[in-house]
Amino acid sequence: MNSGVIALLPHINGALNGVTVILLLAGLVAARQGARWLHRTIMLATLAVSAGFLASYLTYHFNAPIFQFAGQGWVRPLYYSLLIVHVVLAIVVTPLILMTAWRGLTAMRGLRPLEHHRRFARWVWPLWFVVAVTGVAIYGMLYHLYPAG
């Protein structure tokens, strides 16, 4: 893959994580207002953006060298703590997101009670939100606050 394209992927990934944060908040607001179809549309868009992020992230990491965090002092353990939380939660929440979406879609079709989706989403949404927010923070720290020299 073209090295110029590879160099852009971290910035695309940061933007996709930022869009995910915004869409998750919009989806939560729509759900709380009882706007089911709007909530469904927003959450499906959020899934699509997250899938695009995952594809871009994997493409980058299969084609780029390992990037070292350049920050020193107290910020270094902070960065690595955020990174560990982000990676572990991302691994845990990915299948849960898919299960929650499936429960919501089957509830919309009348195949299961909506409460099954709601109960699950109350736990999954905050985890997904933390993954997206920490992704934006990690991107900002790695590429803007403490870029490699």
Side-chain angles (χ1 to χ4, degrees), residues 44-67:
L44 288 174
T46 311
L47 273 172
V49 169
S50 292
F53 164 82
L54 184 57
S56 177
Y57 177 87
L58 292 174
T59 300
Y60 175 75
H61 283 285
F62 282 124
N63 290 285
I66 294 175
F67 201 83

Side-chain angles (χ1 to χ4, degrees), residues 10-130:
H11 307 292
I12 292 168
N13 293 342
L16 291 172
N17 265 328
V19 170
T20 298
V21 169
I22 293 165
L23 288 172
L24 283 170
L25 290 170
L28 179 65
V29 169
R32 293 221 169 130
Q33 291 178 345
R36 287 186 184 177
W37 287 102
L38 179 60
H39 171 72
R40 175 182 175 255
T41 302
I42 292 169
M43 295 314 292
L44 288 174
T46 311
L47 273 172
V49 169
S50 292
F53 164 82
L54 184 57
S56 177
Y57 177 87
L58 292 174
T59 300
Y60 175 75
H61 283 285
F62 282 124
N63 290 285
I66 294 175
F67 201 83
Q68 297 289 325
F69 180 65
Q72 297 298 319
W74 65 270
V75 76
R76 197 167 182 81
L78 173 65
Y79 169 80
Y80 284 107
S81 296
L82 278 175
L83 183 62
I84 290 167
V85 166
H86 175 77
V87 170
V88 170
L89 283 181
I91 291 167
V92 168
V93 81
T94 299
L96 297 176
I97 291 167
L98 296 174
M99 290 169 55
T100 305
W102 179 255
R103 286 173 177 227
L105 290 170
T106 56
M108 293 289 283
R109 294 178 60 213
L111 301 174
R112 82 170 52 221
L114 185 59
E115 189 53 35
H116 290 167
H117 167 73
R118 285 182 179 150
R119 254 194 323 252
F120 217 64
R122 284 188 184 111
W123 291 96
V124 174
W125 187 93
L127 297 176
W128 193 0
F129 188 75
V130 168

